[in-house]
Structure formats: structure tokens, C-alpha cells
Amino acid sequence: MGSNRAKENPPYLTPEAFAAEANVSRETLDRLRAFADLLAKWQKSINLVSKADLPDLWRRHILDSAQLLPLMPPAPTGRDRVIADLGSGGGFPGLVLAIMGAGQVHLFESNSRKCTFLAEAARITGASATIHGMRLEAIGGLGGIIRADVVTARGLAPLPQLLEYAAPMLVPGSVCLFLKGAGVKDELTAAGKVWNMRVETLPSRTSGSGVILRLGEIARDGAKSARP
């Protein structure tokens, strides 16, 4: 039984296996390889991913990010899709999505060293990404400059807080894609005390306990917010 399980779930995902799983072109794979090589180099001085995850980078981080792309709504007619990625860190999921051509991606990260890494990674891969070195609490000060079709986040904060961060950028038709873990039901319950939204819970392709929340029609419920 153990042998069969090992065959079904090999210890490490190779770049070639990722390309087949995510259906990416050779050119896109080469750009993702360049990103992965740069991350491994910078990892020596900046903690971009868990050291234990680094050998399986292509599954644990790159495929985990890439799985969001097919879940996004189509790009609006006449312009690129606008994506806001909250707490981008080492580039997951936002920079991976930018490299894959998901649209115009805005990466929000408060750590200046990680911002430097993200800028260099965007440069060498030619990704359409803008880095915002700021705390997420300051997003509201952008004054509606960024109107996001999609907001993404991965393991950043509880759902109620994520929605507070995302709210200033949401427009009619916006979708939030949040990678979540086993505690997602409690987070949905807490968020439902303040927010009305359409909720889809989708299985993660990289983690047995992970899920993807696809949220739409998001609006603060004033009556709920006013309750003591």
C-alpha cells in the first residue's frame, strides 16, 4: 500500500510534471524556471519559503499558486484582467500568476527585502507586475485607484481580515480567490457576521486539507455590522 501511495504522490514535483499538470507552454515554463532559480538563490539570505518546502517548490508553491488561474473570471472586454495579490511574500500566488499571463498583477508586500526580490523576479521573467511596498491596512488610502477584478491571498490572515483588506479594491463583479486550510468553516462563520457573499469551496490540487475559497457578490452587511 505504501508503495502504491508513493507512485500516486511522488515526493517532489518536477518542472516537466508541473508543465503537464498546469498545461503551460515551454516559454512559460522557462520563465517559471528562472523565477524558481532566483528564489533558490535569494533563499540563502531571505526566508522566502519554508526550508522544508524548498525541495518540492514546484508542487507546494508554484502549482499551489497556478491552480487559481482557471478559477478566475474571463478578462473584461478591451482590457487586461486586474489582479490584486495580498501579502505576496516570495511571489505566491501573485507573481506566479503574473508570469503565467493572468493579467495586470498588483503585488502588495510590506517587507522591503521581499519587495526587492519581487521586483527583480518580475524583471527577469518579464511579468506584468507592479510591486506596492506598503502595509495592507493602507490600501484604503489608494482612493479607488486599483479596481481589482480578482483579489488573491495565500495563508495570510483570517477571512474577515482579508475581506477588510480587499474591500477598497472591489467593484461589481470582483471575485476573491483565497487559499485556505482546515479552519475554513470557522472563518466563513466569522466573516458571515459582517459580510454577505456568494461562497464556493473548492478542493486544492496540492493539499488534502487545503481548500480554495471563491467568493463573489461581496458586500458589507450594515445591519450585521451594527449589531453589538
Side-chain angles (χ1 to χ4, degrees):
M1 184 178 295
S3 175
N4 289 338
R5 185 179 295 115
K7 291 179 181 178
E8 294 170 2
N9 186 25
Y12 303 132
L13 187 73
T14 65
E16 293 76 18
F18 163 83
E21 178 77 15
N23 192 28
V24 300
S25 67
R26 171 58 59 181
E27 179 184 2
T28 298
L29 181 60
D30 287 345
R31 294 167 68 201
L32 287 167
R33 282 182 187 271
F35 165 64
D37 290 345
L38 185 71
L39 186 142
K41 179 180 178 181
W42 281 61
Q43 178 72 14
K44 297 173 183 178
S45 57
I46 303 177
N47 186 30
L48 296 170
V49 298
S50 166
K51 185 177 180 180
D53 288 352
L54 194 58
D56 202 18
L57 180 70
W58 286 88
R59 184 198 315 275
R60 296 296 299 272
H61 296 285
I62 299 179
L63 180 60
D64 196 47
S65 301
Q67 67 178 322
L68 298 184
L69 182 53
L71 303 179
M72 293 184 179
T77 303
R79 66 171 176 83
D80 287 340
R81 185 193 286 122
V82 176
I83 301 163
D85 184 50
L86 306 177
S88 300
F92 310 107
L95 190 57
V96 170
L97 293 168
I99 294 170
M100 294 179 69
Q104 180 186 351
V105 183
H106 294 267
L107 306 174
F108 290 89
E109 173 56 49
S110 61
N111 184 293
S112 61
R113 298 178 73 196
K114 290 180 180 178
C115 285
T116 302
F117 166 75
L118 292 170
E120 177 63 7
R123 185 189 69 80
I124 68 166
T125 60
S128 179
T130 302
I131 293 87
H132 302 269
M134 60 191 295
R135 293 184 61 81
L136 296 177
E137 292 82 357
I139 287 176
L142 293 175
I145 294 173
I146 298 174
R147 301 167 65 83
D149 301 302
V150 182
V151 179
T152 59
R154 180 176 183 254
L156 175 67
L159 181 58
Q161 187 63 64
L162 287 177
L163 292 172
E164 291 289 346
Y165 293 149
M169 298 182 288
L170 298 179
V171 296
S174 292
V175 170
C176 290
L177 292 172
F178 297 144
L179 290 150
K180 286 292 181 179
V184 67
K185 289 185 179 180
D186 290 340
E187 293 189 33
L188 282 167
T189 298
K193 295 177 180 179
V194 177
W195 299 90
N196 291 323
M197 54 194 159
R198 184 188 72 248
V199 179
E200 295 176 81
T201 304
L202 307 169
S204 169
R205 291 163 63 183
T206 62
S207 169
S209 61
V211 299
I212 302 165
L213 287 181
R214 182 162 58 184
L215 310 177
E217 301 172 14
I218 302 163
R220 193 186 305 273
D221 189 319
K224 292 178 180 179
S225 300
R227 292 172 188 168

